[in-house]
Amino acid sequence: MNARRRLLALLLCGLPFGALAQGFAGLGTTAEGFAIPERGRALTFPADHGPHPAFRIEWWYLTAPLTGEDGRDYGIQWTLFRSALAPEERDGWSSPQIWMAHAALTEPDRHHVAERLARGGIGQAGVTAAPFAAHIDDWQMTGTPGKGIDQLHLTARGKDFAYDLRLEASGPIVLHGDAGYSVKSPKGQASYYYSQPGYTVTGTIETERGTVRVSGQGWLDREWSSQPLAEDQRGWDWFSLSFDSGDKMMGFRLRDGGPGFTSATWIGSDGSAKPLPDGALTLEPLETTTVEDRAIPTRWRVVLPAHGLDITVGAMNPQAWMGTSFPYWEGPVTITGSHTGRGYLEMTGYE
Amino acid sequence: MLLDVRSVTKTYPGAERPVLKDVSLSLDRSETLALTGESGSGKSTLLHLVGALDGFEAGEITLDGTSYSQLDEAGRAGLRRGAVALVFQQFNLIPALTVAQNLAFHARLGGAYDPDWTATLAQRLGLADLGSRYPEQLSGGQQQRVAIGRALALRPRLLLADEPTGNLDEATGDAVLDLMLDLVRDTGAALFLVTHSERIAARLDRRLHLGSGQVA
Amino acid sequence: MTRWAFLALLSHWRRQPLQLVAMILGLALATGLWSAVQAINAEARASYAAAASRLGLSQGPTLTSPDGTIPSDTYVALRRAGWQLSPVLEGPIRLGGRTLRLVGVDVLSYPALPDSSALSGIAPLDVLTPPGRLFASRVTAEGFDGDPRLVLSQDVPAGVVLTDIGTAEALLDRPGALSRILVLPDQPMGLAPLADLAPQLSLSSPSATSDAAHLTDSFHLNLTAFGLLSFAVGLFIVHGTAGLVMEQRRPLFRTLRALGLPARHLTLLVLAELLTLALIAGLLGLVLGYLVAAALLPDVAATLRGLYGAPVEGGLTLRPLWVLSGLAMAVVGAGLAGARGIWALVRLPILASSGMALRSVASGLGARHLALAGLALILAGYLALRLMPGLTGGFVMLAGLLLGAALLLPLLVDACLQLCQRRAKGPVAQWVWADMRVQLPGLSLALMALLLALAANIGVGTMVSSFRLTFTGWLDQRLASELYVRAASDEQGAAIERWLASRADAVLPLRSAEITLAGQPGELYGVADHATYRQNWPLIASEPGVWDRVAAGEAALINEQLARRENLWPGDTVTIAPDWTLTVAGVYSDYGNPKGQVMVSIPALVAHHPEVPNRRFGIRVDPAKSEALARDLRQSFDLPEESIVDQAALKASSLAIFDKTFVVTGALNVLTLGVAGFAILTALLTLWTMRLPQVAPAWALGLTRAQLGRLELCRSLALAAITALLALPLGLALAWVLLNVINVAAFGWRLPMYLFPADWLRLFLLALIAGGLAAALPARRLHRLPPAHLLRIFANER
């Protein structure tokens, strides 16, 4: 399986096999022939809910901290990646579009992961903007016709878990950065980035322990680009936090040799979004856990003075490791400190 | 004179000293001669030379006018098929052949097979009923009687015998020797017998002693 | 104590170096031939297994369609139902003048991709999008190594070109089609059953062995049987020598025992000595086996590829399996050979009468007992065939026949010698025959070895030659068209057909589909209604009006393999597809093809398989004009050289493949005969010390040494001749079993038996040469022996 995993990792980077070290570093490359995000281009919906084949990489990324009727905390992840080997779409096997999806169900003591891969062009995976429908194999994120992405039906299943959830958005779509143009480094690498952070989630999850009714809050991220990382950036720490106060915050740090590059968006309970520049957000690891032979920070201090935020964010299950073609850490978190609430944390590039 | 051995010297390859040195003796027709000597005195070697089984480096042996030194291997083999016959201590019958076949073998090889004579010999040697047996099924005395019969069936002019009773107990040995001497006398053959036994030597016409490779 | 006792034991070898050589060389030869065969088998099997695992051929359950094609939409539908699957599209492809197997896989889902080292420096885009990349091993890539799409990878089995499914779709011109779908091991929970989702597909779980391994089982069984035969022949040498060595050391054993060495201790020492010898010989044998295998493997690989399409590389690697098996055989062989001696040693009394080892007459109890055991073995073999028909029974019968005949040999040879002895006139002749009878017990093992080697030669030679004769005649019938043409596409095929209509006497389309017959892979052929077939096709059984009925689509022809395997004969019915059953109107012979085959009329074939390509044609034309027509055809359609083959070339290449198939058999035959010759030599040499007391009296009574030497040679020649004469009926019996039992079970065809007396004469002479060569050395020694050595026999107690 190793040969295939490595092959996939390289495929998704769109680079010659074996030409670079494994991992996310490959994302930081030039975008020959691919479209580049432009500042000032207005996002239009529902069209931009659909795929952008001219861009190298794109994702539909949904996370939701949940609580079960059994009183236990859970979390689910549903992610569909699109990776283009060439900036075009063709019918049949010769399509250069590759699809990959990850699904996860996190319990306090267990973490279930599944991965799917598909070639574009044959109908095994794809996304349509209106009516909105994203699928790979039998996993799907389907919108109610006429309602854009406000009402979603979300399913996925793996060897030892499955979920079937209904999502209902209660606020507007949030554009990050400059009206959806999100800068990723001081050198100007950027992506298009918008979110729907305010879903109310209900449905069922299933493991070998049985089926549990769950409810909670969901957060959808949409991002596409052709060169999301700078050459020296090695990975990121990304937070989506929903506070009990009704406020929300998206924040990330791109790690490099130095202090890194941070970015955040403060979302008020009314849905208003305030982008914050590099340096406004500070992230400090407090505690690491050994996961898969590497040290992963699983408790963080998150400070955003502009909004009086000084919190500790801790992993619900520190072993929420995504042992997929790209390995990374992703799982639900609990917030304490100046604010309380729940959220999701993703950490990539830890070797 | 039937046999004349004159100044024969024999050295085995690799040996320091000759086993026979300047040995001379002679034997008349129908004469019986006993050669005695210690172990290793060379008496068996002398017998082998007279039997044309082996060559020598100096001197001459003549049998009935035939000079040994003139003979090649085929000539020596021819001599063994006609003029001389041997009886060994070990009997040395041909194990693959029956008693009857053994008795006739040498005579047939020499082209002198006489069925009546062979039958007479078998009768006199007490082998008449044993014709279809194989040598290993016989006692030592019986085997030696076959060997004597095989030799005399050829009607040789000279019979050579090397300790013919050496492997037999005294009573059997005496019986076998009696038979042999009787038959030799009847056929008119000369006998050259090697033995270390004074008692046996005394029963022959003449005796010689071999010591340190020389006849005394 | 142990050390000195061991040294005393070993001192024997210094005085008898020839026995040491015979012992070690015999064991090494036996081990060598055995391990050569094992190495070849292991290599071939490893190739199949590697191919199967690398290509995912046996990686769990597979979905197939009765008509051989699955629409890729079905694949997507099953994927959307949650099933984790991997699609494969494969088919034959002409590359570099050869037909190779193109395997197209979805590189994202395929479970057995080549190692990533082959992929370094290649952009994924190039693999996934036109013109694509072709992965092949160096061996396979010969002939198209200039192709810019080629990527060398040693992970891809020989004869296979691996590519992305998109590339395969274009190259095979089968858009939207799949050959099969692999069901991956990890599936999500709660899936609907495949039988509900895709009832038209059938799910088969391949057995542990791949198709190739299954098809070639009989071939390997043949080789193994030959290896065992060689081993047995080699063991004869060792057995004889070991027995003699033990016999000669009896006085030494007694002395050691008398000096206080416990019997157990002594036995252990002898065992240790035997083990050491076995290991040394075993290692030598392995080296020998490696060399033999390396020399033979390329031909075996070619055979397996040519006859079965089984992928085998030409290279040899040292595998623990056959290294261990070779050493084990050496040790077991030495144990078997020394067992009697050691058993005697355990029971050896310290004091014993100096028992004479010589036996005067061979026809004693021993030979008669052996002969009885031999008859019992032959009978047991016959019963085995009755009780368990098929390949196993056939081989048991062969083993019984060969071993039984070998055990009968001493009695039969002795009877011959006795006859000769009775008719012999002169005393020398009489003595020689009698003497041979005495020698017989010591030589009979070597003669048995010679008998087996000669019988195997005659038997296998008769089979191969009969097969070749039949095969040549069959080729003449089967390849009746003067020219065979292959078009690049169906369109070109149609154009060629039109173009030829006015220029050739007849154009016979050759169309076929791969189907499943009685649960195994098979082929469905379309046959044109033409006199060419009516006159020439090699039918071995048929109903009246067979061709009319086939042309009318009412009946089918099947090949002999299918007929014998499924016991289908004219009048029975054959199921070609679940909804298509036809009466069998005739059975035809179809050599060199392990698969079952059905022939129907072309309209019937097209009706059920509209997708079968129409690109290959046989062309009937006046032979004088065929060359010109081929030239015109090439020019008109710009066809590459290899697209048009004339009948003669096709026959020649078929016969070349045939001959290669039996190169190994021939080589093993010669080697076995060589070993048998060596067995006689060692037997004569080890008997040497016992010979002198037997020839010395004859010498003393007036035979020359030259005569004795010549007689020694004659004896050996006579024994070889008698053995060869006895080997003839045995060899013919062997050939009969091979042709009528083994071949039917292994390949599915019965062959007529032809006799080749010229070959027998050649073998007879070979046997004489082997016997003569073996006796040459002892005879020469006898001729040169100093009289003093002979005289010692008279002087000393032995």
Side-chain angles (χ1 to χ4, degrees):
Chain A
M1 284 309 256
N2 275 336
R4 189 162 74 101
R5 176 165 289 181
R6 181 144 166 238
L7 171 78
L8 288 173
L10 298 165
L11 273 173
L12 290 163
C13 303
L15 279 174
F17 297 103
L20 50 123
Q22 292 179 329
F24 284 73
L27 291 176
T29 52
T30 55
E32 218 165 291
F34 289 95
I36 304 286
E38 294 165 45
R39 192 186 289 272
R41 175 191 173 277
L43 299 184
T44 55
F45 302 110
D48 278 326
H49 295 321
H52 303 81
F55 288 82
R56 176 175 272 164
I57 187 144
E58 178 163 19
W59 55 66
W60 291 257
Y61 212 129
L62 197 131
T63 51
L66 301 168
T67 306
E69 274 185 348
D70 56 359
R72 284 155 57 95
D73 282 344
Y74 297 98
I76 64 97
Q77 177 202 344
W78 192 105
T79 313
L80 181 62
F81 299 95
R82 182 190 58 76
S83 174
L85 302 175
E88 57 177 322
E89 176 60 307
R90 280 198 292 266
D91 265 352
W93 291 108
S94 63
S95 161
Q97 303 286 330
I98 308 280
W99 297 83
M100 176 172 79
H102 293 166
L105 168 63
T106 313
E107 302 180 73
D109 55 343
R110 292 193 303 183
H111 180 72
H112 310 272
V113 181
E115 180 175 45
R116 294 289 180 267
L117 289 150
R119 303 274 287 269
I122 58 165
Q124 190 189 342
V127 178
T128 53
F132 177 75
H135 80 272
I136 182 165
D137 289 357
D138 59 329
W139 299 3
Q140 53 167 323
M141 174 158 41
T142 314
T144 307
K147 295 218 166 189
I149 59 167
D150 285 353
Q151 260 183 16
L152 297 176
H153 181 207
L154 186 76
T155 65
R157 58 181 155 174
K159 209 163 115 181
D160 51 0
F161 76 100
Y163 53 73
D164 188 332
L165 304 169
R166 302 277 168 180
L167 288 76
E168 182 89 41
S170 54
I173 285 172
V174 170
L175 308 181
H176 299 286
D178 182 358
Y181 181 86
S182 168
V183 176
K184 292 291 191 283
S185 89
K187 291 177 190 151
Q189 271 90 349
S191 65
Y192 290 117
Y193 185 7
Y194 70 86
S195 301
Q196 171 48 273
Y199 286 110
T200 305
V201 183
T202 54
T204 55
I205 58 165
E206 189 183 349
T207 66
E208 56 263 52
R209 287 173 182 160
T211 304
V212 180
R213 292 203 62 79
V214 291
S215 60
Q217 287 203 303
W219 180 310
L220 172 71
D221 267 348
R222 284 277 293 117
E223 193 161 7
W224 64 98
S225 178
S226 293
Q227 24 99 275
L229 292 192
E231 288 284 350
D232 58 348
Q233 290 172 334
R234 285 291 167 258
W236 62 75
D237 310 304
W238 176 92
F239 295 79
S240 63
L241 306 174
S242 298
F243 305 117
D244 295 338
S245 62
D247 297 327
K248 297 178 173 61
M249 189 204 85
M250 184 288 295
F252 62 81
R253 178 179 69 161
L254 290 161
R255 297 191 306 279
D256 52 27
F261 180 87
T262 63
S263 174
T265 303
W266 185 267
I267 304 160
S269 51
D270 58 352
S272 61
K274 181 165 173 40
L276 295 155
D278 181 20
L281 176 74
T282 57
L283 299 172
E284 182 192 344
L286 298 178
E287 194 178 312
T288 61
T289 304
T290 302
V291 182
E292 291 285 313
D293 291 333
R294 48 198 114 192
I296 304 280
T298 47
R299 271 175 70 80
W300 292 79
R301 184 164 174 230
V302 178
V303 182
L304 188 64
H307 292 274
L309 184 80
D310 186 347
I311 53 174
T312 301
V313 174
M316 180 185 99
N317 178 351
Q319 298 291 337
W321 182 252
M322 300 294 288
T324 44
S325 303
F326 285 150
Y328 59 99
W329 193 100
E330 172 119 22
V333 291
T334 309
I335 305 160
T336 53
S338 65
H339 294 63
T340 56
R342 297 176 68 185
Y344 247 81
L345 167 59
E346 175 184 84
M347 297 177 282
T348 69
Y350 285 93
E351 296 297 327
Chain B
M1 196 166 53
L2 176 70
L3 173 73
D4 184 31
V5 177
R6 181 148 305 161
S7 304
V8 164
T9 299
K10 166 74 177 174
T11 314
Y12 281 116
E16 280 177 24
R17 291 171 351 125
V19 58
L20 296 175
K21 195 177 169 193
D22 207 17
V23 171
S24 299
L25 61 84
S26 63
L27 190 65
D28 281 334
R29 286 176 200 282
S30 304
E31 188 186 11
T32 60
L33 171 72
L35 184 65
T36 55
E38 309 302 318
S39 287
S41 61
K43 54 187 192 299
S44 284
T45 302
L46 184 56
L47 186 96
H48 292 155
L49 295 187
V50 171
L53 290 169
D54 208 352
F56 46 89
E57 64 260 32
E60 180 62 286
I61 300 176
T62 318
L63 179 74
D64 225 2
T66 307
S67 297
Y68 281 25
S69 57
Q70 305 295 315
L71 297 175
D72 58 4
E73 184 171 355
R76 287 205 292 271
L79 204 65
R80 296 200 296 274
R81 286 200 303 272
V84 292
L86 292 109
V87 175
F88 299 105
Q89 181 180 359
Q90 304 295 340
F91 328 134
N92 292 105
L93 299 176
I94 294 177
L97 300 179
T98 60
V99 167
Q101 287 167 338
N102 263 292
L103 277 175
F105 186 75
H106 200 184
R108 295 181 68 189
L109 212 55
Y113 179 52
D114 174 353
D116 293 340
W117 169 232
T118 312
T120 310
L121 275 175
Q123 194 68 47
R124 290 191 58 181
L125 288 163
L127 299 170
D129 299 333
L130 304 176
S132 58
R133 298 225 185 154
Y134 284 90
E136 64 167 16
Q137 294 167 310
L138 303 182
S139 71
Q142 285 170 330
Q143 287 194 49
Q144 194 61 302
R145 278 184 274 155
V146 176
I148 292 165
R150 178 179 69 183
L152 291 175
L154 186 67
R155 293 185 193 277
R157 276 161 281 173
L158 175 62
L159 178 66
L160 303 173
D162 187 359
E163 301 275 14
T165 59
N167 259 16
L168 306 174
D169 62 69
E170 199 174 295
T172 312
D174 285 350
V176 166
L177 189 70
D178 286 346
L179 261 177
M180 184 169 78
L181 290 178
D182 282 355
L183 285 169
V184 163
R185 206 165 296 127
D186 290 356
T187 55
L191 173 66
F192 182 18
L193 184 144
V194 164
T195 181
H196 64 273
S197 159
E198 295 291 332
R199 198 169 60 83
I200 290 171
R203 297 190 55 186
L204 269 62
D205 298 344
R206 190 152 65 93
R207 52 188 291 187
L208 286 172
H209 185 79
L210 195 62
S212 314
Q214 287 179 309
V215 176
Chain C
M1 173 172 78
T2 304
R3 178 158 170 253
W4 293 111
F6 201 55
L7 285 177
L9 276 182
L10 292 184
S11 67
H12 175 81
W13 302 112
R14 208 169 36 242
R15 281 196 311 146
Q16 303 283 355
L18 257 174
Q19 287 178 5
L20 185 65
V21 169
M23 189 92 173
I24 288 188
L25 217 54
L27 210 48
L29 277 175
T31 313
L33 288 186
W34 165 258
S35 52
V37 168
Q38 287 309 300
I40 289 172
N41 280 347
E43 198 61 43
R45 292 228 168 85
S47 287
Y48 309 148
S53 68
R54 279 181 289 179
L55 279 178
L57 295 177
S58 62
Q59 295 210 330
T62 304
L63 286 169
T64 49
S65 155
D67 63 8
T69 300
I70 306 174
S72 52
D73 291 346
T74 307
Y75 166 71
V76 173
L78 289 173
R79 270 283 185 173
R80 301 242 14 209
W83 280 91
Q84 296 301 290
L85 310 166
S86 187
V88 177
L89 172 64
E90 61 183 344
I93 185 174
R94 293 287 293 180
L95 277 172
R98 286 190 299 157
T99 300
L100 301 168
R101 180 172 164 209
L102 185 72
V103 177
V105 301
D106 172 15
V107 295
L108 282 194
S109 59
Y110 199 63
L113 284 178
D115 185 48
S116 55
S117 63
L119 302 171
S120 60
I122 301 161
L125 184 66
D126 295 339
V127 175
L128 297 182
T129 58
R133 288 289 179 267
L134 303 175
F135 295 88
S137 72
R138 198 171 297 280
V139 185
T140 314
E142 275 172 27
F144 66 103
D145 44 15
D147 195 312
R149 297 168 297 179
L150 176 68
V151 179
L152 288 179
S153 166
Q154 287 316 116
D155 281 355
V156 182
V160 169
V161 177
L162 186 72
T163 191
D164 183 64
I165 192 159
T167 312
E169 203 176 51
L171 287 177
L172 298 173
D173 193 20
R174 292 175 68 186
L178 301 176
S179 304
R180 53 198 165 87
I181 299 175
L182 308 181
V183 181
L184 299 175
D186 283 345
Q187 297 294 340
M189 57 199 291
L191 291 175
L194 280 170
D196 297 349
L197 295 170
Q200 73 279 18
L201 301 185
S202 55
L203 183 67
S204 61
S205 293
S207 52
T209 51
S210 65
D211 275 358
H214 185 73
L215 288 175
T216 52
D217 264 356
S218 47
F219 181 83
H220 292 297
L221 199 55
N222 268 325
L223 274 187
T224 305
F226 235 112
L228 265 178
L229 182 66
S230 316
F231 187 78
V233 166
L235 219 51
F236 283 127
I237 303 175
V238 187
H239 188 273
T241 317
L244 187 77
V245 169
M246 296 299 278
E247 188 84 26
Q248 286 186 343
R249 288 197 295 186
R250 244 165 214 267
L252 176 66
F253 294 155
R254 282 211 184 84
T255 309
L256 287 172
R257 290 282 310 280
L259 292 176
L261 194 68
R264 242 175 71 93
H265 211 93
L266 181 63
T267 310
L268 284 179
L269 281 181
V270 173
L271 275 177
E273 180 196 57
L274 203 60
L275 189 69
T276 313
L277 282 178
L279 287 179
I280 292 171
L283 286 174
L284 264 176
L286 283 179
V287 173
L288 195 73
Y290 186 88
L291 294 177
V292 172
L296 292 181
L297 192 62
D299 282 325
V300 176
T303 298
L304 290 167
R305 281 198 294 262
L307 190 57
Y308 302 97
V312 177
E313 311 279 348
L316 185 66
T317 45
L318 215 60
R319 289 178 196 283
L321 179 71
W322 66 263
V323 168
L324 285 180
S325 112
L327 281 181
M329 284 303 263
V331 171
V332 168
L336 275 180
R340 210 178 48 178
I342 288 177
W343 178 239
L345 174 63
V346 173
R347 298 148 48 101
L348 179 76
I350 298 184
L351 298 173
S353 60
S354 67
M356 283 263 291
L358 284 177
R359 296 283 169 273
S360 66
V361 183
S363 64
L365 226 49
R368 238 169 273 147
H369 277 169
L370 279 183
L372 278 179
L375 281 177
L377 272 177
I378 294 175
L379 193 68
Y382 177 77
L383 286 178
L385 188 64
R386 286 275 153 270
L387 293 179
M388 42 179 177
L391 210 49
T392 323
F395 274 108
V396 171
M397 178 186 176
L398 272 191
L401 179 65
L402 287 176
L403 280 179
L407 294 182
L408 272 174
L409 183 72
L411 192 70
L412 290 177
V413 174
D414 189 60
C416 287
L417 293 176
Q418 214 171 348
L419 204 70
C420 294
Q421 189 187 1
R422 271 208 212 110
R423 316 193 76 192
K425 290 277 174 338
V428 176
Q430 212 171 50
W431 168 63
V432 167
W433 293 117
D435 186 55
M436 272 157 77
R437 294 183 64 195
V438 176
Q439 256 186 301
L440 193 55
L443 278 174
S444 49
L445 276 172
L447 293 181
M448 287 181 200
L450 183 65
L451 178 83
L452 291 184
L454 287 172
N457 260 289
I458 294 171
V460 175
T462 302
M463 178 194 72
V464 173
S465 299
S466 294
F467 195 176
R468 198 175 194 282
L469 212 60
T470 313
F471 186 71
T472 316
W474 173 81
L475 273 182
D476 287 341
Q477 296 178 313
R478 185 89 181 235
L479 301 178
S481 295
E482 281 71 25
L483 290 173
Y484 292 85
V485 62
R486 179 194 299 268
S489 65
D490 284 357
E491 293 73 43
Q492 193 184 43
I496 289 175
E497 207 173 355
R498 278 194 303 277
W499 187 88
L500 281 171
S502 58
R503 292 171 173 89
D505 298 344
V507 184
L508 308 172
L510 306 170
R511 308 180 67 171
S512 68
E514 296 196 355
I515 58 169
T516 305
L517 281 171
Q520 295 190 32
E523 295 159 337
L524 178 64
Y525 269 77
V527 57
D529 184 14
H530 190 264
T532 303
Y533 295 106
R534 291 172 181 257
Q535 287 161 10
N536 292 309
W537 202 250
L539 290 178
I540 56 172
S542 61
E543 284 189 333
V546 47
W547 291 105
D548 291 335
R549 296 193 57 203
V550 170
E554 299 165 9
L557 300 172
I558 62 174
N559 66 354
E560 188 184 354
Q561 288 84 306
L562 185 65
R564 293 200 190 279
R565 202 169 63 212
E566 301 301 324
N567 200 18
L568 295 177
W569 298 97
D572 297 334
T573 54
V574 59
T575 302
I576 302 165
D579 56 347
W580 188 16
T581 301
L582 284 180
T583 309
V584 175
V587 176
Y588 55 94
S589 51
D590 183 22
Y591 304 120
N593 169 24
K595 289 182 184 171
Q597 211 176 68
V598 176
M599 288 181 87
V600 297
S601 71
I602 287 186
L605 172 74
V606 174
H608 286 84
H609 293 270
E611 82 290 352
V612 292
N614 190 26
R615 299 178 196 172
R616 289 163 56 224
F617 306 94
I619 304 171
R620 295 309 307 266
V621 64
D622 180 353
K625 295 177 190 158
S626 76
E627 209 180 315
L629 182 65
R631 203 170 43 240
D632 286 354
L633 191 55
R634 265 190 205 108
Q635 279 170 359
S636 304
F637 290 91
D638 194 22
L639 290 172
E641 191 68 25
E642 70 268 16
S643 287
I644 303 174
V645 185
D646 69 17
Q647 192 193 73
L650 204 54
K651 277 181 187 166
S653 69
S654 300
L655 273 180
I657 290 177
F658 180 92
D659 287 340
K660 275 216 148 163
T661 307
F662 293 104
V663 164
V664 184
T665 318
L668 283 176
N669 252 335
V670 171
L671 285 174
T672 314
L673 198 60
V675 171
F678 188 74
I680 301 181
L681 172 67
T682 55
L684 289 176
L685 289 180
T686 50
L687 285 176
W688 175 250
T689 45
M690 292 184 188
R691 285 300 291 151
L692 283 187
Q694 310 200 18
V695 298
W699 171 73
L701 299 184
L703 290 179
T704 62
R705 285 169 299 162
Q707 270 176 307
L708 290 176
R710 275 199 300 279
L711 289 175
E712 197 70 11
L713 203 62
C714 289
R715 259 190 277 261
S716 179
L717 288 177
L719 285 174
I722 291 173
T723 308
L725 286 178
L726 291 173
L728 182 61
L730 179 61
L732 293 181
L734 177 65
W736 187 87
V737 176
L738 285 173
L739 288 171
N740 288 283
V741 180
I742 303 289
N743 259 309
V744 176
F747 303 102
W749 55 65
R750 189 189 300 265
L751 295 165
M753 181 160 150
Y754 297 98
L755 301 182
F756 302 87
D759 286 354
W760 305 344
L761 193 66
R762 194 177 49 87
L763 257 185
F764 186 76
L765 291 178
L766 265 178
L768 289 188
I769 290 171
L773 280 179
L777 189 61
R780 209 177 97 102
R781 242 163 92 170
L782 202 56
H783 181 56
R784 299 260 175 103
L785 194 70
H789 284 220
L790 286 160
L791 287 171
R792 257 183 234 150
I793 301 296
F794 308 121
N796 306 333
E797 161 94 59
R798 286 188 298 278

